[in-house]
mmCIF file of all heavy atoms in Angstrom:
data_model
loop_
_atom_site.group_PDB
_atom_site.id
_atom_site.type_symbol
_atom_site.label_atom_id
_atom_site.label_comp_id
_atom_site.label_asym_id
_atom_site.label_seq_id
_atom_site.Cartn_x
_atom_site.Cartn_y
_atom_site.Cartn_z
ATOM 1 N N GLY A 1178 6.593 -4.691 16.799
ATOM 2 C CA GLY A 1178 6.986 -6.175 17.352
ATOM 3 C C GLY A 1178 6.453 -7.226 16.346
ATOM 4 O O GLY A 1178 6.628 -8.323 16.676
ATOM 5 N N LYS A 1179 6.046 -6.784 15.177
ATOM 6 C CA LYS A 1179 5.589 -7.694 14.178
ATOM 7 C C LYS A 1179 6.284 -7.511 12.865
ATOM 8 O O LYS A 1179 6.847 -6.399 12.526
ATOM 9 C CB LYS A 1179 4.106 -7.626 13.817
ATOM 10 C CG LYS A 1179 3.208 -7.929 15.011
ATOM 11 C CD LYS A 1179 1.743 -7.939 14.792
ATOM 12 C CE LYS A 1179 0.948 -8.438 15.846
ATOM 13 N NZ LYS A 1179 -0.551 -8.501 15.523
ATOM 14 N N GLN A 1180 6.273 -8.538 11.991
ATOM 15 C CA GLN A 1180 6.960 -8.390 10.806
ATOM 16 C C GLN A 1180 6.042 -7.541 9.774
ATOM 17 O O GLN A 1180 4.924 -7.562 9.979
ATOM 18 C CB GLN A 1180 7.197 -9.694 10.139
ATOM 19 C CG GLN A 1180 8.294 -10.564 10.879
ATOM 20 C CD GLN A 1180 8.632 -11.960 10.118
ATOM 21 O OE1 GLN A 1180 7.840 -12.484 9.412
ATOM 22 N NE2 GLN A 1180 9.864 -12.308 10.364
ATOM 23 N N ARG A 1181 6.687 -6.985 8.804
ATOM 24 C CA ARG A 1181 5.932 -6.332 7.704
ATOM 25 C C ARG A 1181 5.135 -7.394 6.997
ATOM 26 O O ARG A 1181 5.481 -8.390 6.625
ATOM 27 C CB ARG A 1181 6.874 -5.628 6.824
ATOM 28 C CG ARG A 1181 6.286 -4.627 5.801
ATOM 29 C CD ARG A 1181 7.286 -3.882 4.971
ATOM 30 N NE ARG A 1181 8.168 -3.089 5.811
ATOM 31 C CZ ARG A 1181 9.015 -2.168 5.369
ATOM 32 N NH1 ARG A 1181 9.139 -1.931 4.096
ATOM 33 N NH2 ARG A 1181 9.642 -1.524 6.232
ATOM 34 N N GLU A 1182 3.867 -7.010 6.687
ATOM 35 C CA GLU A 1182 2.894 -7.883 6.030
ATOM 36 C C GLU A 1182 2.300 -7.142 4.799
ATOM 37 O O GLU A 1182 2.071 -5.989 4.884
ATOM 38 C CB GLU A 1182 1.787 -8.447 6.920
ATOM 39 C CG GLU A 1182 0.896 -7.422 7.600
ATOM 40 C CD GLU A 1182 -0.234 -7.994 8.379
ATOM 41 O OE1 GLU A 1182 -0.300 -9.083 8.562
ATOM 42 O OE2 GLU A 1182 -1.129 -7.041 8.902
ATOM 43 N N LEU A 1183 1.847 -8.119 3.834
ATOM 44 C CA LEU A 1183 1.189 -7.531 2.681
ATOM 45 C C LEU A 1183 -0.293 -7.132 3.084
ATOM 46 O O LEU A 1183 -0.901 -7.919 3.843
ATOM 47 C CB LEU A 1183 1.105 -8.631 1.670
ATOM 48 C CG LEU A 1183 0.383 -8.302 0.403
ATOM 49 C CD1 LEU A 1183 0.869 -7.257 -0.328
ATOM 50 C CD2 LEU A 1183 0.215 -9.595 -0.405
ATOM 51 N N VAL A 1184 -0.644 -5.955 2.631
ATOM 52 C CA VAL A 1184 -2.010 -5.570 2.740
ATOM 53 C C VAL A 1184 -2.843 -5.728 1.450
ATOM 54 O O VAL A 1184 -3.941 -6.184 1.533
ATOM 55 C CB VAL A 1184 -2.092 -4.130 3.358
ATOM 56 C CG1 VAL A 1184 -3.583 -3.604 3.353
ATOM 57 C CG2 VAL A 1184 -1.478 -3.945 4.643
ATOM 58 N N ALA A 1185 -2.324 -5.141 0.487
ATOM 59 C CA ALA A 1185 -3.107 -5.111 -0.893
ATOM 60 C C ALA A 1185 -1.986 -4.927 -1.972
ATOM 61 O O ALA A 1185 -0.988 -4.173 -1.829
ATOM 62 C CB ALA A 1185 -4.060 -3.996 -0.820
ATOM 63 N N THR A 1186 -2.309 -5.633 -3.114
ATOM 64 C CA THR A 1186 -1.508 -5.403 -4.317
ATOM 65 C C THR A 1186 -2.388 -5.219 -5.611
ATOM 66 O O THR A 1186 -3.545 -5.683 -5.516
ATOM 67 C CB THR A 1186 -0.539 -6.584 -4.542
ATOM 68 O OG1 THR A 1186 -1.398 -7.741 -4.682
ATOM 69 C CG2 THR A 1186 0.393 -6.875 -3.414
ATOM 70 N N MET A 1187 -1.796 -4.615 -6.506
ATOM 71 C CA MET A 1187 -2.415 -4.366 -7.793
ATOM 72 C C MET A 1187 -1.419 -4.716 -8.861
ATOM 73 O O MET A 1187 -0.405 -3.953 -8.912
ATOM 74 C CB MET A 1187 -3.087 -2.930 -7.924
ATOM 75 C CG MET A 1187 -3.638 -2.727 -9.376
ATOM 76 S SD MET A 1187 -4.466 -1.094 -9.465
ATOM 77 C CE MET A 1187 -5.960 -1.328 -8.608
ATOM 78 N N ARG A 1188 -1.741 -5.526 -9.712
ATOM 79 C CA ARG A 1188 -0.801 -5.937 -10.789
ATOM 80 C C ARG A 1188 -1.029 -4.841 -11.956
ATOM 81 O O ARG A 1188 -2.071 -4.165 -11.990
ATOM 82 C CB ARG A 1188 -1.150 -7.301 -11.455
ATOM 83 C CG ARG A 1188 -0.986 -8.480 -10.459
ATOM 84 C CD ARG A 1188 0.314 -9.101 -10.696
ATOM 85 N NE ARG A 1188 0.543 -10.243 -9.640
ATOM 86 C CZ ARG A 1188 1.607 -10.794 -9.506
ATOM 87 N NH1 ARG A 1188 2.638 -10.455 -10.369
ATOM 88 N NH2 ARG A 1188 1.812 -11.745 -8.629
ATOM 89 N N SER A 1189 -0.074 -4.821 -12.876
ATOM 90 C CA SER A 1189 -0.124 -3.619 -13.917
ATOM 91 C C SER A 1189 -1.327 -3.875 -14.736
ATOM 92 O O SER A 1189 -1.837 -2.884 -15.249
ATOM 93 C CB SER A 1189 1.233 -3.924 -14.781
ATOM 94 O OG SER A 1189 1.224 -5.107 -15.344
ATOM 95 N N TRP A 1190 -1.979 -5.062 -14.898
ATOM 96 C CA TRP A 1190 -3.133 -5.117 -15.673
ATOM 97 C C TRP A 1190 -4.352 -5.002 -14.908
ATOM 98 O O TRP A 1190 -5.507 -5.184 -15.496
ATOM 99 C CB TRP A 1190 -3.141 -6.548 -16.353
ATOM 100 C CG TRP A 1190 -2.995 -7.662 -15.536
ATOM 101 C CD1 TRP A 1190 -4.008 -8.457 -14.787
ATOM 102 C CD2 TRP A 1190 -1.821 -8.455 -15.215
ATOM 103 N NE1 TRP A 1190 -3.430 -9.388 -14.083
ATOM 104 C CE2 TRP A 1190 -2.122 -9.511 -14.262
ATOM 105 C CE3 TRP A 1190 -0.441 -8.228 -15.551
ATOM 106 C CZ2 TRP A 1190 -1.103 -10.348 -13.939
ATOM 107 C CZ3 TRP A 1190 0.521 -9.062 -15.102
ATOM 108 C CH2 TRP A 1190 0.199 -10.204 -14.268
ATOM 109 N N GLY A 1191 -4.281 -4.796 -13.510
ATOM 110 C CA GLY A 1191 -5.402 -4.333 -12.758
ATOM 111 C C GLY A 1191 -5.842 -5.391 -11.701
ATOM 112 O O GLY A 1191 -6.761 -4.941 -10.839
ATOM 113 N N THR A 1192 -5.339 -6.551 -11.764
ATOM 114 C CA THR A 1192 -5.810 -7.557 -10.785
ATOM 115 C C THR A 1192 -5.378 -7.096 -9.467
ATOM 116 O O THR A 1192 -4.215 -6.660 -9.120
ATOM 117 C CB THR A 1192 -5.217 -8.924 -11.165
ATOM 118 O OG1 THR A 1192 -5.522 -9.289 -12.422
ATOM 119 C CG2 THR A 1192 -5.573 -9.975 -10.075
ATOM 120 N N THR A 1193 -6.254 -7.329 -8.445
ATOM 121 C CA THR A 1193 -6.066 -6.923 -7.115
ATOM 122 C C THR A 1193 -6.096 -8.067 -6.239
ATOM 123 O O THR A 1193 -6.661 -9.175 -6.469
ATOM 124 C CB THR A 1193 -6.951 -5.816 -6.605
ATOM 125 O OG1 THR A 1193 -8.264 -6.344 -6.583
ATOM 126 C CG2 THR A 1193 -6.872 -4.460 -7.447
ATOM 127 N N ASP A 1194 -5.328 -7.949 -5.039
ATOM 128 C CA ASP A 1194 -5.345 -9.025 -3.993
ATOM 129 C C ASP A 1194 -5.195 -8.381 -2.641
ATOM 130 O O ASP A 1194 -4.548 -7.391 -2.525
ATOM 131 C CB ASP A 1194 -4.081 -9.999 -4.255
ATOM 132 C CG ASP A 1194 -4.064 -11.274 -3.431
ATOM 133 O OD1 ASP A 1194 -5.382 -11.653 -3.017
ATOM 134 O OD2 ASP A 1194 -3.139 -11.924 -3.203
ATOM 135 N N TYR A 1195 -5.893 -8.963 -1.683
ATOM 136 C CA TYR A 1195 -5.963 -8.379 -0.369
ATOM 137 C C TYR A 1195 -5.709 -9.480 0.692
ATOM 138 O O TYR A 1195 -6.027 -10.618 0.585
ATOM 139 C CB TYR A 1195 -7.344 -7.843 -0.096
ATOM 140 C CG TYR A 1195 -7.707 -6.727 -0.949
ATOM 141 C CD1 TYR A 1195 -8.299 -6.911 -2.174
ATOM 142 C CD2 TYR A 1195 -7.332 -5.360 -0.759
ATOM 143 C CE1 TYR A 1195 -8.682 -5.871 -3.105
ATOM 144 C CE2 TYR A 1195 -7.666 -4.290 -1.561
ATOM 145 C CZ TYR A 1195 -8.365 -4.547 -2.754
ATOM 146 O OH TYR A 1195 -8.673 -3.510 -3.526
ATOM 147 N N GLU A 1196 -5.068 -8.938 1.749
ATOM 148 C CA GLU A 1196 -4.920 -9.824 2.955
ATOM 149 C C GLU A 1196 -6.236 -10.071 3.619
ATOM 150 O O GLU A 1196 -7.269 -9.269 3.461
ATOM 151 C CB GLU A 1196 -4.027 -9.024 4.029
ATOM 152 C CG GLU A 1196 -3.444 -9.807 5.026
ATOM 153 C CD GLU A 1196 -4.435 -9.949 6.382
ATOM 154 O OE1 GLU A 1196 -5.128 -8.808 6.527
ATOM 155 O OE2 GLU A 1196 -4.578 -10.968 7.063
ATOM 156 N N ASP A 1197 -6.485 -11.231 4.019
ATOM 157 C CA ASP A 1197 -7.935 -11.658 4.454
ATOM 158 C C ASP A 1197 -8.581 -10.778 5.385
ATOM 159 O O ASP A 1197 -9.727 -10.452 5.281
ATOM 160 C CB ASP A 1197 -7.758 -13.037 5.081
ATOM 161 C CG ASP A 1197 -7.596 -14.129 4.010
ATOM 162 O OD1 ASP A 1197 -7.745 -13.830 2.811
ATOM 163 O OD2 ASP A 1197 -7.285 -15.223 4.455
ATOM 164 N N SER A 1198 -7.719 -10.221 6.285
ATOM 165 C CA SER A 1198 -8.404 -9.389 7.412
ATOM 166 C C SER A 1198 -8.933 -7.945 6.842
ATOM 167 O O SER A 1198 -9.632 -7.277 7.486
ATOM 168 C CB SER A 1198 -7.546 -9.152 8.579
ATOM 169 O OG SER A 1198 -6.471 -8.251 8.213
ATOM 170 N N VAL A 1199 -8.485 -7.607 5.743
ATOM 171 C CA VAL A 1199 -8.859 -6.363 5.095
ATOM 172 C C VAL A 1199 -9.884 -6.424 3.980
ATOM 173 O O VAL A 1199 -10.363 -5.347 3.455
ATOM 174 C CB VAL A 1199 -7.628 -5.482 4.702
ATOM 175 C CG1 VAL A 1199 -6.651 -5.349 5.791
ATOM 176 C CG2 VAL A 1199 -7.058 -5.940 3.331
ATOM 177 N N LYS A 1200 -10.084 -7.580 3.558
ATOM 178 C CA LYS A 1200 -10.952 -7.807 2.395
ATOM 179 C C LYS A 1200 -12.322 -7.246 2.717
ATOM 180 O O LYS A 1200 -12.982 -7.459 3.773
ATOM 181 C CB LYS A 1200 -11.190 -9.236 2.011
ATOM 182 C CG LYS A 1200 -9.981 -9.839 1.390
ATOM 183 C CD LYS A 1200 -10.151 -11.282 1.152
ATOM 184 C CE LYS A 1200 -8.944 -11.896 0.228
ATOM 185 N NZ LYS A 1200 -9.031 -13.450 0.061
ATOM 186 N N GLY A 1201 -12.880 -6.410 1.824
ATOM 187 C CA GLY A 1201 -14.140 -5.824 1.922
ATOM 188 C C GLY A 1201 -14.070 -4.466 2.750
ATOM 189 O O GLY A 1201 -15.132 -3.755 2.801
ATOM 190 N N ARG A 1202 -12.976 -4.167 3.338
ATOM 191 C CA ARG A 1202 -12.808 -2.950 4.063
ATOM 192 C C ARG A 1202 -11.787 -2.040 3.382
ATOM 193 O O ARG A 1202 -12.001 -0.824 3.385
ATOM 194 C CB ARG A 1202 -12.294 -3.183 5.472
ATOM 195 C CG ARG A 1202 -13.273 -4.057 6.272
ATOM 196 C CD ARG A 1202 -12.835 -4.066 7.725
ATOM 197 N NE ARG A 1202 -11.485 -4.754 7.972
ATOM 198 C CZ ARG A 1202 -10.451 -4.172 8.468
ATOM 199 N NH1 ARG A 1202 -10.579 -2.796 9.025
ATOM 200 N NH2 ARG A 1202 -9.349 -4.690 8.741
ATOM 201 N N PHE A 1203 -10.848 -2.565 2.757
ATOM 202 C CA PHE A 1203 -9.707 -1.806 2.207
ATOM 203 C C PHE A 1203 -9.858 -1.920 0.661
ATOM 204 O O PHE A 1203 -10.219 -3.014 0.109
ATOM 205 C CB PHE A 1203 -8.424 -2.228 2.539
ATOM 206 C CG PHE A 1203 -8.005 -1.926 4.019
ATOM 207 C CD1 PHE A 1203 -8.932 -1.337 4.887
ATOM 208 C CD2 PHE A 1203 -6.776 -2.095 4.413
ATOM 209 C CE1 PHE A 1203 -8.663 -1.197 6.192
ATOM 210 C CE2 PHE A 1203 -6.321 -1.844 5.713
ATOM 211 C CZ PHE A 1203 -7.268 -1.358 6.585
ATOM 212 N N THR A 1204 -9.400 -0.779 -0.051
ATOM 213 C CA THR A 1204 -9.474 -0.820 -1.649
ATOM 214 C C THR A 1204 -8.249 -0.126 -2.113
ATOM 215 O O THR A 1204 -7.929 0.980 -1.796
ATOM 216 C CB THR A 1204 -10.653 -0.254 -2.109
ATOM 217 O OG1 THR A 1204 -11.835 -0.783 -1.646
ATOM 218 C CG2 THR A 1204 -10.722 -0.263 -3.639
ATOM 219 N N ILE A 1205 -7.465 -0.841 -2.959
ATOM 220 C CA ILE A 1205 -6.318 -0.325 -3.551
ATOM 221 C C ILE A 1205 -6.800 0.258 -4.939
ATOM 222 O O ILE A 1205 -7.538 -0.483 -5.621
ATOM 223 C CB ILE A 1205 -5.198 -1.265 -3.773
ATOM 224 C CG1 ILE A 1205 -3.959 -0.598 -4.139
ATOM 225 C CG2 ILE A 1205 -5.456 -2.546 -4.528
ATOM 226 C CD1 ILE A 1205 -2.571 -1.503 -4.204
ATOM 227 N N SER A 1206 -6.211 1.383 -5.334
ATOM 228 C CA SER A 1206 -6.560 1.971 -6.517
ATOM 229 C C SER A 1206 -5.415 2.766 -7.028
ATOM 230 O O SER A 1206 -4.330 3.002 -6.181
ATOM 231 C CB SER A 1206 -7.749 2.776 -6.470
ATOM 232 O OG SER A 1206 -7.561 3.905 -5.700
ATOM 233 N N ARG A 1207 -5.377 3.235 -8.360
ATOM 234 C CA ARG A 1207 -4.271 3.921 -9.054
ATOM 235 C C ARG A 1207 -4.893 4.899 -9.912
ATOM 236 O O ARG A 1207 -6.002 4.822 -10.336
ATOM 237 C CB ARG A 1207 -3.279 2.916 -9.748
ATOM 238 C CG ARG A 1207 -4.136 2.279 -10.837
ATOM 239 C CD ARG A 1207 -3.327 1.055 -11.293
ATOM 240 N NE ARG A 1207 -2.113 1.324 -11.977
ATOM 241 C CZ ARG A 1207 -1.128 0.515 -12.210
ATOM 242 N NH1 ARG A 1207 -1.279 -0.787 -12.005
ATOM 243 N NH2 ARG A 1207 -0.055 0.767 -12.752
ATOM 244 N N ASP A 1208 -4.007 6.057 -10.129
ATOM 245 C CA ASP A 1208 -4.401 6.998 -11.073
ATOM 246 C C ASP A 1208 -3.122 7.186 -11.884
ATOM 247 O O ASP A 1208 -2.061 7.860 -11.414
ATOM 248 C CB ASP A 1208 -4.704 8.253 -10.234
ATOM 249 C CG ASP A 1208 -5.139 9.393 -11.300
ATOM 250 O OD1 ASP A 1208 -4.611 9.482 -12.385
ATOM 251 O OD2 ASP A 1208 -5.911 10.277 -10.852
ATOM 252 N N ASN A 1209 -3.030 6.596 -12.966
ATOM 253 C CA ASN A 1209 -1.873 6.433 -13.812
ATOM 254 C C ASN A 1209 -1.358 7.949 -14.200
ATOM 255 O O ASN A 1209 -0.259 8.150 -14.050
ATOM 256 C CB ASN A 1209 -2.047 5.701 -15.063
ATOM 257 C CG ASN A 1209 -2.252 4.146 -14.687
ATOM 258 O OD1 ASN A 1209 -1.721 3.735 -13.706
ATOM 259 N ND2 ASN A 1209 -2.829 3.369 -15.511
ATOM 260 N N PRO A 1210 -2.188 8.838 -14.716
ATOM 261 C CA PRO A 1210 -1.694 10.074 -15.099
ATOM 262 C C PRO A 1210 -0.982 10.896 -13.947
ATOM 263 O O PRO A 1210 -0.132 11.726 -14.267
ATOM 264 C CB PRO A 1210 -2.947 10.820 -15.664
ATOM 265 C CG PRO A 1210 -3.900 9.705 -16.088
ATOM 266 C CD PRO A 1210 -3.626 8.741 -15.059
ATOM 267 N N LYS A 1211 -1.616 10.678 -12.846
ATOM 268 C CA LYS A 1211 -1.124 11.454 -11.705
ATOM 269 C C LYS A 1211 -0.029 10.690 -10.992
ATOM 270 O O LYS A 1211 0.621 11.245 -10.055
ATOM 271 C CB LYS A 1211 -2.176 11.753 -10.699
ATOM 272 C CG LYS A 1211 -3.346 12.629 -11.118
ATOM 273 C CD LYS A 1211 -4.332 12.898 -10.084
ATOM 274 C CE LYS A 1211 -5.476 13.898 -10.478
ATOM 275 N NZ LYS A 1211 -6.402 14.246 -9.336
ATOM 276 N N LYS A 1212 0.362 9.478 -11.426
ATOM 277 C CA LYS A 1212 1.430 8.652 -10.812
ATOM 278 C C LYS A 1212 1.041 8.478 -9.355
ATOM 279 O O LYS A 1212 2.083 8.517 -8.562
ATOM 280 C CB LYS A 1212 2.842 9.303 -11.057
ATOM 281 C CG LYS A 1212 3.011 9.366 -12.596
ATOM 282 C CD LYS A 1212 4.581 9.854 -12.753
ATOM 283 C CE LYS A 1212 4.756 11.292 -12.455
ATOM 284 N NZ LYS A 1212 6.056 11.774 -12.726
ATOM 285 N N MET A 1213 -0.238 8.074 -8.993
ATOM 286 C CA MET A 1213 -0.594 7.992 -7.598
ATOM 287 C C MET A 1213 -1.161 6.543 -7.394
ATOM 288 O O MET A 1213 -1.769 5.947 -8.269
ATOM 289 C CB MET A 1213 -1.558 9.026 -7.312
ATOM 290 C CG MET A 1213 -1.195 10.442 -7.402
ATOM 291 S SD MET A 1213 0.079 10.742 -5.991
ATOM 292 C CE MET A 1213 -0.896 10.685 -4.608
ATOM 293 N N VAL A 1214 -0.966 6.063 -6.124
ATOM 294 C CA VAL A 1214 -1.516 4.912 -5.676
ATOM 295 C C VAL A 1214 -2.181 5.216 -4.396
ATOM 296 O O VAL A 1214 -1.711 5.826 -3.623
ATOM 297 C CB VAL A 1214 -0.504 3.694 -5.453
ATOM 298 C CG1 VAL A 1214 -1.197 2.322 -5.161
ATOM 299 C CG2 VAL A 1214 0.329 3.583 -6.742
ATOM 300 N N TYR A 1215 -3.368 4.597 -4.236
ATOM 301 C CA TYR A 1215 -4.154 4.921 -2.994
ATOM 302 C C TYR A 1215 -4.598 3.566 -2.349
ATOM 303 O O TYR A 1215 -4.638 2.463 -2.866
ATOM 304 C CB TYR A 1215 -5.510 5.597 -3.461
ATOM 305 C CG TYR A 1215 -5.240 6.917 -4.193
ATOM 306 C CD1 TYR A 1215 -5.441 6.882 -5.625
ATOM 307 C CD2 TYR A 1215 -4.821 8.008 -3.562
ATOM 308 C CE1 TYR A 1215 -5.240 8.084 -6.347
ATOM 309 C CE2 TYR A 1215 -4.661 9.184 -4.318
ATOM 310 C CZ TYR A 1215 -4.946 9.252 -5.707
ATOM 311 O OH TYR A 1215 -4.638 10.337 -6.453
ATOM 312 N N LEU A 1216 -4.864 3.805 -1.101
ATOM 313 C CA LEU A 1216 -5.479 2.768 -0.169
ATOM 314 C C LEU A 1216 -6.511 3.305 0.574
ATOM 315 O O LEU A 1216 -6.365 4.124 1.548
ATOM 316 C CB LEU A 1216 -4.410 2.172 0.678
ATOM 317 C CG LEU A 1216 -4.882 0.841 1.425
ATOM 318 C CD1 LEU A 1216 -5.158 -0.279 0.638
ATOM 319 C CD2 LEU A 1216 -3.931 0.446 2.502
ATOM 320 N N GLN A 1217 -7.757 2.975 0.211
ATOM 321 C CA GLN A 1217 -8.894 3.518 0.984
ATOM 322 C C GLN A 1217 -9.204 2.465 2.042
ATOM 323 O O GLN A 1217 -9.333 1.225 1.798
ATOM 324 C CB GLN A 1217 -10.178 3.535 -0.004
ATOM 325 C CG GLN A 1217 -11.454 4.123 0.679
ATOM 326 C CD GLN A 1217 -11.327 5.434 1.270
ATOM 327 O OE1 GLN A 1217 -10.880 6.368 0.561
ATOM 328 N NE2 GLN A 1217 -11.846 5.610 2.473
ATOM 329 N N MET A 1218 -9.198 2.926 3.316
ATOM 330 C CA MET A 1218 -9.501 2.106 4.416
ATOM 331 C C MET A 1218 -10.727 2.559 5.094
ATOM 332 O O MET A 1218 -10.765 3.584 5.592
ATOM 333 C CB MET A 1218 -8.195 2.093 5.290
ATOM 334 C CG MET A 1218 -6.862 1.880 4.641
ATOM 335 S SD MET A 1218 -5.455 1.758 5.775
ATOM 336 C CE MET A 1218 -5.512 3.528 6.343
ATOM 337 N N ASN A 1219 -11.705 1.650 5.156
ATOM 338 C CA ASN A 1219 -12.843 1.813 5.850
ATOM 339 C C ASN A 1219 -13.050 0.789 7.044
ATOM 340 O O ASN A 1219 -12.447 -0.148 7.118
ATOM 341 C CB ASN A 1219 -14.110 1.631 4.846
ATOM 342 C CG ASN A 1219 -14.002 2.668 3.683
ATOM 343 O OD1 ASN A 1219 -13.511 3.696 3.833
ATOM 344 N ND2 ASN A 1219 -14.543 2.153 2.570
ATOM 345 N N SER A 1220 -13.924 1.142 7.875
ATOM 346 C CA SER A 1220 -14.198 0.235 9.019
ATOM 347 C C SER A 1220 -12.988 -0.050 9.761
ATOM 348 O O SER A 1220 -12.846 -1.298 10.138
ATOM 349 C CB SER A 1220 -14.990 -0.952 8.559
ATOM 350 O OG SER A 1220 -16.218 -0.654 7.831
#
Side-chain angles (χ1 to χ4, degrees):
K1179 295 187 177 181
Q1180 290 189 332
R1181 191 173 297 188
E1182 66 174 359
L1183 173 69
V1184 176
T1186 60
M1187 177 179 279
R1188 300 259 176 192
S1189 56
W1190 54 86
T1192 301
T1193 58
D1194 192 24
Y1195 296 91
E1196 193 269 328
D1197 285 345
S1198 71
V1199 308
K1200 286 180 180 177
R1202 300 189 298 123
F1203 290 10
T1204 303
I1205 186 172
S1206 62
R1207 62 198 293 166
D1208 186 328
N1209 291 337
K1211 293 183 179 179
K1212 298 184 289 184
M1213 296 290 293
V1214 185
Y1215 303 102
L1216 184 68
Q1217 178 66 44
M1218 305 186 296
N1219 299 326
S1220 303

